[in-house]
Amino acid sequence: VTSTLLSYHSWIFESHGKMSFSTKIWLSLVKLLSGRRPLLYSFQASLPRLPVPSIDDTIRRYLESVRPLLDDEQYKQMETVANDFKKDPAPKFQKHLKLKSWWATNYVSDWWEEYIYLRGRDPIMVNSNFYTMAARTGNVVHAMLQYRRKLERGELTPLRALGIVPMCSFQYERMFNTTRIPGIETDFVQHLKDRKHLVVYHRGRFFKVWLYYGGRHLWPSELELQFQRILDDKSEPQPGELKLPSLTAGNRVPWARARLKYFTEGINQASLEAIETAAFFLTLDDEAHGYDPENIRSLDLYAKSLLHGKCYDRWFDKSFTLIVYKNGKIGVNTEHSWADSPIIGHMWEYVLATDCFQLGYTAEGHCKGDINKSLLIIGYKPHIFTYNPSAIMCLYIDKGEFCLTYESSMTRMFREGRTETVRSCTCESTAFVRAMEDESTTNEQRLALFKKAADKHQNMYRLAMTGAGIDRHLFCLYIVSKVMGIDSPFLKQVLSEPWRLSTSQTPQQQLNLIDIQKFPKYVGAGGGFGPVADDGYGVSYIIVGENLITFHISSKFSSPETDSFRFGQNIRQAMLDIRALFNLKEKKM
């Protein structure tokens, strides 16, 4: 498959269920040239480079995106600033971006990782990291090792749109054996080859657990024995050991300085090296969490624990921390710089399916298999709810006003592509919301506005996925302006605008692993993240089959304007209102 062939994107703009003759020919060619059983990285060299949009298109789409948020005078002022930028210095910045796009694998991704993640000096605990949930435990570490082996051998099936069009697999490479290392001005991501141990944290003590014996992975039963020995260990933490992980939860500069001052020799250096070179970090939590139908806030507490715990019982710099609660529930907290949520979600789906349907348990509830007893151990206010809608989803702002809204889209049809922003608050969507609140508007008018808003949203998503988004282009133009030392009032204003509603979807990627209809209890609840703005919301959602959507909603205690539970109820009511709208249409038909 060639990059020229994979640069064809007309298929994504075609109406659902309708496929042009040229797209059918193109799909046949891609399928023919892809081979019968491609490996995870088979398509990497063939993926096209992310194109640089034109200045005219980006500014036109930007102005369109802010129109519903500004009054006439504010919009006119923004239009003037934008048009001045378009004349000069935009062409100079664009020229540099074009040059970079020719020699760099991806003109956005390296700057995005560096400036959005690694150069941020604020804590990564809530501001960057995100978490993932499931409802089973036991064989998880062994399943993760199986996944890592498949990953290293490239044996995982590559993700492909329509089952044919390949997505970039670059982000998978740093899932394991990876740590974010703090620095004074910027952090860096340390990725190592096959690591043979993990580090376990339990009641303030650190334990080094070997994952191999005689050249093979430990069996689930052998891992269970290791972890049980740790749980049975009654020793007290060493001085300074209990809250050591809190260094990774705070501001980056103090952590970087402490690392240079206290962790460059002796036992401190050796201990830190064991953590930072581990395959991943495991916390055996002394709390119990999970869904309790008798407690409406049980999922809120579960999410809060996964997002930050006690702030000193997760190693937030590791690529991910696996958390196992004392009642057997599990979850993952993920450092964000190395990858986006669908990547860790892919691994989590594999782990759940392997745990439940392949490894299994004995009648007594233990892991299956023999045990080699000679093995040694070296030693925000989130709100979550689930709801069963009619496959229609609506986000509703509970402040009585509209705001700049961020929705994440992927750009993985391009080499080393990560994400792009879809600006969900449009003239079309605001017109629909106003119509829903206006009692004089008929249901037929509301439905027409809903369809118009949905069509607009879909088109913006398609543009973002095919390299014609707004925000990554503006971000890179801003970086060029800083490098060139040329001040731009337009770019400065654009990048200072707060995202008071930040949303993201966790996709179900491996639908073949679990039959959702037969085994609904084995489906993960997705994951969540902290709000971007101090007075805003972070909303993550996962669509599970045709009958379930789970939302993860976060906001800050420090803001008197936000309330995650209230916002969740507003989303629920908005979805009920939309369902009622369609039910009325069906009755009339």
Side-chain angles (χ1 to χ4, degrees):
V1 183
T2 66
S3 60
T4 303
L5 187 63
L6 294 178
S7 296
Y8 175 82
H9 293 135
S10 297
W11 64 273
I12 206 170
F13 292 95
E14 295 175 353
S15 299
H16 184 67
K18 296 179 180 178
M19 188 180 293
S20 66
F21 179 72
S22 57
T23 295
K24 290 178 180 177
I25 296 295
W26 172 76
L27 281 174
S28 299
L29 284 171
V30 173
K31 192 172 183 179
L32 178 67
L33 297 173
S34 294
R36 301 185 72 177
R37 296 188 64 183
L39 298 176
L40 182 63
Y41 301 114
S42 294
F43 301 107
Q44 284 302 102
S46 302
L47 292 172
R49 294 171 187 256
L50 183 70
V52 181
S54 73
I55 292 289
D56 286 350
D57 285 345
T58 294
I59 290 179
R60 175 175 52 80
R61 289 172 185 147
Y62 170 77
L63 289 172
E64 184 184 351
S65 76
V66 297
R67 187 65 189 97
L69 306 173
L70 305 175
D71 59 33
D72 290 345
E73 187 177 335
Q74 290 171 327
Y75 181 74
K76 192 173 181 180
Q77 183 268 336
M78 176 56 79
E79 205 172 27
T80 301
V81 174
N83 286 327
D84 288 345
F85 170 73
K86 185 162 63 172
K87 293 173 187 173
D88 184 69
K92 298 175 188 173
F93 301 162
Q94 182 77 345
K95 182 180 178 182
H96 281 77
L97 272 192
K98 286 279 190 181
L99 287 171
K100 185 188 177 187
S101 73
W102 293 341
W103 61 260
T105 307
N106 186 298
Y107 83 92
V108 175
S109 293
D110 58 340
W111 284 351
W112 188 252
E113 179 175 307
E114 179 180 357
Y115 291 101
I116 297 300
Y117 296 116
L118 300 181
R119 281 186 177 267
R121 302 295 81 197
D122 292 332
I124 63 174
M125 177 178 62
V126 172
N127 296 325
S128 177
N129 288 26
F130 55 92
Y131 61 88
T132 311
M133 287 176 154
R136 297 284 293 180
T137 191
N139 301 309
V140 174
V141 171
H142 183 77
M144 285 180 169
L145 294 178
Q146 285 186 328
Y147 184 91
R148 185 178 72 165
R149 182 167 56 196
K150 285 178 174 287
L151 186 62
E152 290 169 345
R153 295 175 178 176
E155 293 174 352
L156 294 169
T157 303
L159 183 66
R160 292 190 283 178
L162 306 178
I164 298 172
V165 186
M167 304 286 116
C168 180
S169 301
F170 169 74
Q171 294 181 58
Y172 290 96
E173 294 179 8
R174 297 185 292 179
M175 185 178 296
F176 294 91
N177 325 320
T178 298
T179 303
R180 177 171 174 164
I181 306 296
I184 303 299
E185 294 183 358
T186 183
D187 297 352
F188 71 92
V189 177
Q190 171 185 278
H191 174 66
L192 305 170
K193 295 298 181 183
D194 185 30
R195 299 286 95 187
K196 292 181 167 55
H197 74 278
L198 63 79
V199 169
V200 180
Y201 180 93
H202 176 58
R203 291 199 307 107
R205 294 91 40 83
F206 289 84
F207 299 85
K208 185 175 181 179
V209 176
W210 292 104
L211 301 172
Y212 288 79
Y213 180 78
R216 63 164 174 83
H217 288 153
L218 295 187
W219 301 121
S221 54
E222 294 169 333
L223 288 165
E224 181 185 2
L225 174 65
Q226 302 278 66
F227 301 142
Q228 190 59 53
R229 286 174 175 171
I230 292 173
L231 293 169
D232 294 340
D233 190 311
K234 304 300 182 185
S235 63
E236 294 297 318
Q238 296 294 313
E241 188 179 17
L242 175 65
K243 297 185 178 180
L244 179 64
S246 64
L247 288 168
T248 69
N251 287 317
R252 306 303 291 171
V253 173
W255 170 208
R257 287 178 175 151
R259 191 174 185 276
L260 291 171
K261 186 174 182 180
Y262 299 110
F263 294 90
T264 56
E265 59 183 9
I267 187 65
N268 282 3
Q269 183 185 37
S271 299
L272 182 63
E273 184 179 355
I275 295 169
E276 293 181 341
T277 62
F280 55 91
F281 194 83
L282 167 63
T283 293
L284 297 175
D285 204 296
D286 53 7
E287 295 182 352
H289 284 290
Y291 176 60
D292 179 0
E294 303 298 319
N295 181 1
I296 193 171
R297 293 298 180 103
S298 61
L299 285 177
D300 298 8
L301 297 172
Y302 193 4
K304 183 178 178 182
S305 177
L306 287 171
L307 191 57
H308 55 68
K310 299 184 182 74
C311 302
Y312 61 78
D313 52 357
R314 285 94 170 96
W315 200 269
F316 295 103
D317 286 355
K318 287 300 290 183
S319 54
F320 66 88
T321 294
L322 171 64
I323 301 139
V324 181
Y325 295 102
K326 68 178 184 180
N327 59 342
K329 305 302 183 185
I330 61 178
V332 170
N333 180 286
T334 307
E335 199 281 307
H336 204 340
S337 67
W338 63 273
D340 302 309
S341 62
I343 305 303
I344 200 76
H346 188 276
M347 183 267 284
W348 203 238
E349 290 171 8
Y350 176 91
V351 167
L352 288 181
T354 303
D355 168 37
C356 300
F357 301 111
Q358 293 185 26
L359 299 178
Y361 301 85
T362 66
E364 294 78 25
H366 294 291
C367 296
K368 294 179 179 178
D370 296 329
I371 297 174
N372 187 330
K373 295 187 178 180
S374 66
L375 296 172
L376 296 174
I377 303 167
I378 302 178
Y380 287 64
K381 45 186 177 186
H383 170 63
I384 300 179
F385 69 95
T386 58
Y387 180 61
N388 294 48
S390 300
I392 300 291
M393 189 185 111
C394 175
L395 291 173
Y396 185 84
I397 307 298
D398 68 345
K399 295 183 180 181
E401 61 183 12
F402 298 108
C403 69
L404 192 62
T405 303
Y406 179 112
E407 183 164 4
S408 182
S409 168
M410 67 90 180
T411 55
R412 288 174 58 198
M413 287 192 291
F414 301 97
R415 194 170 181 183
E416 295 188 15
R418 290 193 61 162
T419 60
E420 177 58 274
T421 305
V422 175
R423 293 174 167 243
S424 307
C425 186
T426 62
C427 291
E428 290 81 0
S429 64
T430 56
F432 165 69
V433 172
R434 287 193 177 100
M436 290 296 288
E437 294 186 323
D438 183 357
E439 293 182 1
S440 66
T441 307
T442 65
N443 286 328
E444 287 78 9
Q445 290 172 323
R446 289 168 177 165
L447 278 168
L449 288 169
F450 178 84
K451 186 178 186 306
K452 193 174 180 182
D455 288 344
K456 175 67 175 180
H457 190 81
Q458 278 193 317
N459 188 59
M460 290 194 304
Y461 238 103
R462 289 161 173 160
L463 288 169
M465 290 173 66
T466 54
I470 302 168
D471 287 274
R472 298 302 177 269
H473 187 203
L474 292 173
F475 162 75
C476 289
L477 290 169
Y478 179 76
I479 298 299
V480 173
S481 76
K482 289 297 179 185
V483 172
M484 295 181 69
I486 300 175
D487 190 53
S488 168
F490 170 71
L491 290 175
K492 190 178 291 183
Q493 186 170 343
V494 168
L495 271 78
S496 65
E497 294 166 346
W499 298 98
R500 290 197 171 89
L501 179 57
S502 180
T503 73
S504 182
Q505 179 189 357
T506 305
Q508 286 282 116
Q509 301 168 85
Q510 301 168 95
L511 299 176
N512 60 309
L513 293 180
I514 297 178
D515 187 326
I516 295 172
Q517 301 302 321
K518 287 185 179 179
F519 306 103
K521 293 183 179 180
Y522 296 120
V523 177
F529 50 86
V532 175
D534 290 341
D535 59 347
Y537 292 101
V539 181
S540 177
Y541 60 96
I542 181 170
I543 301 172
V544 184
E546 296 295 325
N547 302 306
L548 180 68
I549 300 178
T550 299
F551 292 87
H552 300 244
I553 304 164
S554 66
S555 56
K556 291 190 176 181
F557 279 112
S558 58
S559 173
E561 299 178 27
T562 56
D563 183 299
S564 298
F565 184 82
R566 181 186 72 210
F567 191 80
Q569 295 306 301
N570 285 337
I571 293 179
R572 182 179 184 275
Q573 187 58 52
M575 296 177 74
L576 286 170
D577 291 345
I578 294 172
R579 184 171 72 174
L581 199 62
F582 277 82
N583 286 343
L584 285 171
K585 180 186 177 184
E586 290 171 4
K587 284 180 182 178
K588 287 187 178 181
M589 294 173 67

Short mmCIF file of all heavy atoms in Angstrom, two decimals, residues 360-392:
data_model
loop_
_atom_site.label_atom_id
_atom_site.label_comp_id
_atom_site.label_asym_id
_atom_site.label_seq_id
_atom_site.Cartn_x
_atom_site.Cartn_y
_atom_site.Cartn_z
N GLY A 360 -9.25 -17.31 33.41
CA GLY A 360 -10.24 -17.87 34.34
C GLY A 360 -9.72 -18.10 35.74
O GLY A 360 -8.58 -17.74 36.08
N TYR A 361 -10.56 -18.74 36.57
CA TYR A 361 -10.26 -18.94 37.99
C TYR A 361 -10.68 -20.33 38.43
O TYR A 361 -11.52 -20.97 37.80
CB TYR A 361 -11.01 -17.89 38.83
CG TYR A 361 -10.65 -16.48 38.47
CD1 TYR A 361 -11.30 -15.83 37.42
CD2 TYR A 361 -9.64 -15.81 39.14
CE1 TYR A 361 -10.95 -14.53 37.06
CE2 TYR A 361 -9.29 -14.52 38.80
CZ TYR A 361 -9.95 -13.88 37.75
OH TYR A 361 -9.59 -12.61 37.40
N THR A 362 -10.11 -20.77 39.54
CA THR A 362 -10.53 -22.05 40.13
C THR A 362 -11.86 -21.84 40.85
O THR A 362 -12.32 -20.71 41.03
CB THR A 362 -9.48 -22.55 41.15
OG1 THR A 362 -9.43 -21.64 42.26
CG2 THR A 362 -8.10 -22.65 40.51
N ALA A 363 -12.43 -22.95 41.30
CA ALA A 363 -13.70 -22.87 42.03
C ALA A 363 -13.56 -22.06 43.31
O ALA A 363 -14.52 -21.45 43.79
CB ALA A 363 -14.21 -24.28 42.34
N GLU A 364 -12.35 -22.03 43.88
CA GLU A 364 -12.11 -21.28 45.12
C GLU A 364 -11.79 -19.82 44.85
O GLU A 364 -11.56 -19.04 45.78
CB GLU A 364 -10.94 -21.91 45.90
CG GLU A 364 -11.22 -23.32 46.43
CD GLU A 364 -11.11 -24.37 45.34
OE1 GLU A 364 -10.38 -24.13 44.34
OE2 GLU A 364 -11.77 -25.42 45.46
N GLY A 365 -11.71 -19.44 43.57
CA GLY A 365 -11.46 -18.05 43.24
C GLY A 365 -10.00 -17.70 43.04
O GLY A 365 -9.65 -16.51 42.96
N HIS A 366 -9.11 -18.69 42.97
CA HIS A 366 -7.69 -18.44 42.75
C HIS A 366 -7.35 -18.55 41.27
O HIS A 366 -8.11 -19.10 40.46
CB HIS A 366 -6.83 -19.44 43.54
CG HIS A 366 -6.95 -19.27 45.02
ND1 HIS A 366 -6.46 -18.18 45.69
CD2 HIS A 366 -7.55 -20.06 45.97
CE1 HIS A 366 -6.72 -18.30 46.99
NE2 HIS A 366 -7.39 -19.44 47.18
N CYS A 367 -6.17 -18.02 40.91
CA CYS A 367 -5.69 -18.17 39.53
C CYS A 367 -5.37 -19.63 39.27
O CYS A 367 -4.93 -20.36 40.16
CB CYS A 367 -4.44 -17.31 39.32
SG CYS A 367 -4.72 -15.54 39.46
N LYS A 368 -5.56 -20.05 38.05
CA LYS A 368 -5.30 -21.43 37.69
C LYS A 368 -3.81 -21.68 37.50
O LYS A 368 -3.05 -20.76 37.21
CB LYS A 368 -6.04 -21.78 36.40
CG LYS A 368 -7.56 -21.76 36.53
CD LYS A 368 -8.21 -22.09 35.19
CE LYS A 368 -9.73 -22.10 35.32
NZ LYS A 368 -10.38 -22.36 34.01
N GLY A 369 -3.37 -22.95 37.66
CA GLY A 369 -1.98 -23.31 37.39
C GLY A 369 -1.21 -23.67 38.64
O GLY A 369 -1.61 -23.37 39.76
N ASP A 370 -0.06 -24.35 38.43
CA ASP A 370 0.81 -24.72 39.54
C ASP A 370 1.60 -23.52 40.02
O ASP A 370 1.69 -22.49 39.35
CB ASP A 370 1.77 -25.84 39.11
CG ASP A 370 1.01 -27.11 38.74
OD1 ASP A 370 -0.06 -27.35 39.35
OD2 ASP A 370 1.47 -27.84 37.85
N ILE A 371 2.23 -23.68 41.19
CA ILE A 371 2.99 -22.59 41.80
C ILE A 371 4.40 -23.05 42.10
O ILE A 371 4.60 -24.12 42.70
CB ILE A 371 2.32 -22.11 43.10
CG1 ILE A 371 0.93 -21.54 42.81
CG2 ILE A 371 3.18 -21.05 43.79
CD1 ILE A 371 0.14 -21.19 44.05
N ASN A 372 5.39 -22.27 41.69
CA ASN A 372 6.78 -22.52 42.06
C ASN A 372 7.05 -21.70 43.32
O ASN A 372 7.23 -20.48 43.26
CB ASN A 372 7.72 -22.10 40.93
CG ASN A 372 9.16 -22.48 41.21
OD1 ASN A 372 9.58 -22.54 42.36
ND2 ASN A 372 9.91 -22.74 40.15
N LYS A 373 7.09 -22.35 44.47
CA LYS A 373 7.18 -21.64 45.75
C LYS A 373 8.57 -21.09 46.04
O LYS A 373 8.79 -20.43 47.05
CB LYS A 373 6.72 -22.54 46.88
CG LYS A 373 5.23 -22.90 46.76
CD LYS A 373 4.72 -23.65 47.97
CE LYS A 373 3.22 -23.93 47.84
NZ LYS A 373 2.68 -24.65 49.00
N SER A 374 9.52 -21.35 45.15
CA SER A 374 10.88 -20.81 45.36
C SER A 374 11.03 -19.39 44.84
O SER A 374 12.08 -18.77 44.98
CB SER A 374 11.91 -21.72 44.67
OG SER A 374 11.72 -21.68 43.26
N LEU A 375 9.97 -18.83 44.23
CA LEU A 375 10.05 -17.47 43.69
C LEU A 375 10.22 -16.46 44.81
O LEU A 375 9.67 -16.60 45.89
CB LEU A 375 8.77 -17.15 42.90
CG LEU A 375 8.52 -18.01 41.66
CD1 LEU A 375 7.14 -17.73 41.11
CD2 LEU A 375 9.58 -17.73 40.60
N LEU A 376 10.99 -15.41 44.54
CA LEU A 376 11.28 -14.39 45.55
C LEU A 376 10.78 -13.03 45.13
O LEU A 376 10.73 -12.70 43.95
CB LEU A 376 12.80 -14.31 45.80
CG LEU A 376 13.47 -15.56 46.37
CD1 LEU A 376 14.97 -15.34 46.40
CD2 LEU A 376 12.91 -15.93 47.71
N ILE A 377 10.46 -12.24 46.15
CA ILE A 377 10.14 -10.83 45.94
C ILE A 377 11.30 -10.01 46.46
O ILE A 377 11.79 -10.25 47.56
CB ILE A 377 8.89 -10.40 46.75
CG1 ILE A 377 7.70 -11.28 46.38
CG2 ILE A 377 8.57 -8.94 46.53
CD1 ILE A 377 6.55 -11.13 47.32
N ILE A 378 11.80 -9.09 45.66
CA ILE A 378 12.81 -8.14 46.11
C ILE A 378 12.07 -6.83 46.38
O ILE A 378 11.63 -6.18 45.45
CB ILE A 378 13.92 -7.99 45.07
CG1 ILE A 378 14.55 -9.35 44.81
CG2 ILE A 378 14.95 -6.99 45.52
CD1 ILE A 378 15.62 -9.35 43.78
N GLY A 379 12.70 -7.22 47.78
CA GLY A 379 11.95 -6.17 48.15
C GLY A 379 12.46 -4.85 48.74
O GLY A 379 13.38 -4.89 49.49
N TYR A 380 -10.69 16.74 42.16
CA TYR A 380 -11.54 17.09 41.41
C TYR A 380 -12.81 16.53 41.97
O TYR A 380 -12.70 15.61 42.72
CB TYR A 380 -11.28 16.62 40.12
CG TYR A 380 -10.20 17.34 39.58
CD1 TYR A 380 -8.93 17.30 40.12
CD2 TYR A 380 -10.48 18.09 38.51
CE1 TYR A 380 -7.95 17.96 39.51
CE2 TYR A 380 -9.50 18.72 37.91
CZ TYR A 380 -8.26 18.67 38.43
OH TYR A 380 -7.31 19.29 37.83
N LYS A 381 -13.62 16.60 41.80
CA LYS A 381 -14.89 16.10 42.25
C LYS A 381 -15.57 15.36 41.10
O LYS A 381 -16.49 15.88 40.48
CB LYS A 381 -15.82 17.20 42.82
CG LYS A 381 -15.90 18.46 41.97
CD LYS A 381 -16.71 19.56 42.64
CE LYS A 381 -16.70 20.82 41.79
NZ LYS A 381 -17.31 21.98 42.38
N PRO A 382 -15.15 14.20 40.76
CA PRO A 382 -15.72 13.53 39.60
C PRO A 382 -17.12 12.99 39.86
O PRO A 382 -17.48 12.70 40.99
CB PRO A 382 -14.72 12.40 39.34
CG PRO A 382 -14.14 12.14 40.67
CD PRO A 382 -14.13 13.44 41.41
N HIS A 383 -17.88 12.87 38.82
CA HIS A 383 -19.20 12.24 38.91
C HIS A 383 -19.36 11.34 37.70
O HIS A 383 -19.07 11.73 36.58
CB HIS A 383 -20.31 13.28 38.91
CG HIS A 383 -21.68 12.67 38.75
ND1 HIS A 383 -22.21 11.79 39.68
CD2 HIS A 383 -22.59 12.77 37.77
CE1 HIS A 383 -23.41 11.41 39.27
NE2 HIS A 383 -23.67 11.99 38.11
N ILE A 384 -19.77 10.11 37.92
CA ILE A 384 -19.96 9.14 36.83
C ILE A 384 -21.38 8.60 36.91
O ILE A 384 -21.89 8.36 38.00
CB ILE A 384 -18.99 7.96 36.95
CG1 ILE A 384 -17.57 8.45 36.89
CG2 ILE A 384 -19.23 6.94 35.86
CD1 ILE A 384 -16.58 7.35 37.02
N PHE A 385 -22.02 8.46 35.79
CA PHE A 385 -23.31 7.78 35.78
C PHE A 385 -23.45 7.01 34.49
O PHE A 385 -22.81 7.30 33.50
CB PHE A 385 -24.48 8.78 35.94
CG PHE A 385 -24.69 9.68 34.75
CD1 PHE A 385 -25.60 9.36 33.77
CD2 PHE A 385 -23.96 10.86 34.63
CE1 PHE A 385 -25.82 10.19 32.69
CE2 PHE A 385 -24.16 11.70 33.54
CZ PHE A 385 -25.09 11.36 32.58
N THR A 386 -24.29 5.98 34.51
CA THR A 386 -24.58 5.22 33.30
C THR A 386 -26.03 5.45 32.94
O THR A 386 -26.88 5.69 33.81
CB THR A 386 -24.34 3.71 33.51
OG1 THR A 386 -25.16 3.26 34.59
CG2 THR A 386 -22.89 3.43 33.84
N TYR A 387 -26.33 5.38 31.64
CA TYR A 387 -27.67 5.71 31.17
C TYR A 387 -27.95 4.93 29.90
O TYR A 387 -27.05 4.68 29.11
CB TYR A 387 -27.77 7.22 30.91
CG TYR A 387 -29.13 7.64 30.41
CD1 TYR A 387 -30.25 7.43 31.18
CD2 TYR A 387 -29.27 8.20 29.15
CE1 TYR A 387 -31.50 7.79 30.73
CE2 TYR A 387 -30.51 8.57 28.68
CZ TYR A 387 -31.62 8.36 29.48
OH TYR A 387 -32.85 8.72 29.02
N ASN A 388 -29.18 4.52 29.70
CA ASN A 388 -29.58 3.76 28.53
C ASN A 388 -30.43 4.63 27.59
O ASN A 388 -31.64 4.70 27.73
CB ASN A 388 -30.40 2.54 28.95
CG ASN A 388 -29.56 1.55 29.72
OD1 ASN A 388 -28.86 1.95 30.63
ND2 ASN A 388 -29.64 0.30 29.38
N PRO A 389 -29.81 5.31 26.61
CA PRO A 389 -30.55 6.20 25.71
C PRO A 389 -30.91 5.50 24.40
O PRO A 389 -30.66 4.32 24.22
CB PRO A 389 -29.54 7.31 25.44
CG PRO A 389 -28.25 6.55 25.43
CD PRO A 389 -28.39 5.38 26.38
N SER A 390 -31.43 6.26 23.45
CA SER A 390 -31.75 5.73 22.13
C SER A 390 -30.64 6.08 21.15
O SER A 390 -30.88 6.54 20.04
CB SER A 390 -33.08 6.31 21.65
OG SER A 390 -34.10 5.97 22.54
N ALA A 391 -29.41 5.89 21.55
CA ALA A 391 -28.22 6.09 20.71
C ALA A 391 -28.06 7.54 20.26
O ALA A 391 -27.41 7.82 19.28
CB ALA A 391 -28.24 5.17 19.50
N ILE A 392 -28.66 8.52 20.97
CA ILE A 392 -28.48 9.94 20.67
C ILE A 392 -27.84 10.58 21.89
O ILE A 392 -28.23 10.33 23.02
CB ILE A 392 -29.84 10.63 20.40
CG1 ILE A 392 -30.54 9.98 19.21
CG2 ILE A 392 -29.65 12.11 20.15
CD1 ILE A 392 -29.87 10.23 17.89
#
